[in-house]
Amino acid sequence: MENLSPRWSCLSNCRPLLVGGFLFLVHLIPVTGFAETTPSITLVPDEDGVQRITILMESYSFSPNDIIIQADKPVSIRLENHSFLIPHNFVIDNPAMGLHHEIDISAGDSVNLQLFLTTPGTYTFYCDKQFLFFPSHREEGMEGHLEVR
Ligand SMILES: [Cu+2]
């Protein structure tokens, strides 16, 4: 396509600017519900001994975000990003327990995470994505807890 009219070549050259501007506007959409805790969910292992849960990621929340699990049994977490255009991640970090995961999930995507936690306690997870000078998603309320019993 050598003979692009000036108008079309401008459109293709300006695409990053247009996408950036659109993402900027998406981030200006008002957010309701600040760091609300969903009712806690206690996982019951399936017949194969695996504790399974699906966590919905939205702007800006995890639901459920208060999950009680049993120690010494595998946990399978399906992370679904239900946001429009906004990428999220799932960070769970506890150096004392040798635990560190940081998983990116694009808008509309899902990822499975397997955990095996042996030490009872409360483990915080969050999304640390941040757009320019806006508050991080964690600051907007994207945080939750795994309580291991
Ligand atoms: Cu996020």
Side-chain angles (χ1 to χ4, degrees):
M1 301 272 276
E2 301 290 332
N3 298 322
L4 284 176
S5 72
R7 191 172 160 210
W8 281 110
S9 77
C10 171
L11 260 187
S12 63
N13 289 338
C14 297
R15 189 183 295 163
L17 204 64
L18 292 172
V19 170
F22 187 63
L23 287 175
F24 179 84
L25 290 175
V26 164
H27 273 261
L28 293 181
I29 294 171
V31 175
T32 56
F34 189 77
E36 287 176 20
T37 301
T38 60
S40 65
I41 296 219
T42 303
L43 300 194
V44 177
D46 289 339
E47 280 184 13
D48 59 3
V50 179
Q51 309 172 86
R52 291 183 172 84
I53 181 84
T54 296
I55 299 178
L56 307 187
M57 309 168 85
E58 293 170 291
S59 304
Y60 298 94
S61 65
F62 291 102
S63 52
N65 64 4
D66 188 14
I67 302 160
I68 299 166
I69 63 175
Q70 296 175 28
D72 297 316
K73 290 192 174 131
V75 185
S76 178
I77 301 174
R78 179 177 168 85
L79 300 160
E80 296 183 352
N81 183 347
H82 286 228
S83 285
F84 178 64
L85 290 180
I86 299 177
H88 294 298
N89 67 8
F90 182 93
V91 182
I92 188 164
D93 189 26
N94 190 321
M97 305 299 167
L99 180 68
H100 179 79
H101 292 279
E102 186 175 335
I103 300 165
D104 286 314
I105 303 108
S106 307
D109 273 0
S110 62
V111 170
N112 284 312
L113 167 67
Q114 318 297 326
L115 293 175
F116 192 90
L117 300 170
T118 56
T119 308
T122 299
Y123 299 77
T124 300
F125 59 85
Y126 54 91
C127 171
D128 71 357
K129 295 284 185 191
Q130 185 166 17
F131 185 68
L132 300 178
F133 48 83
F134 291 90
S136 71
H137 294 190
R138 184 182 194 180
E139 290 170 315
E140 295 276 21
M142 279 196 88
E143 184 179 294
H145 301 96
L146 281 181
E147 186 183 334
V148 182
R149 292 183 177 169

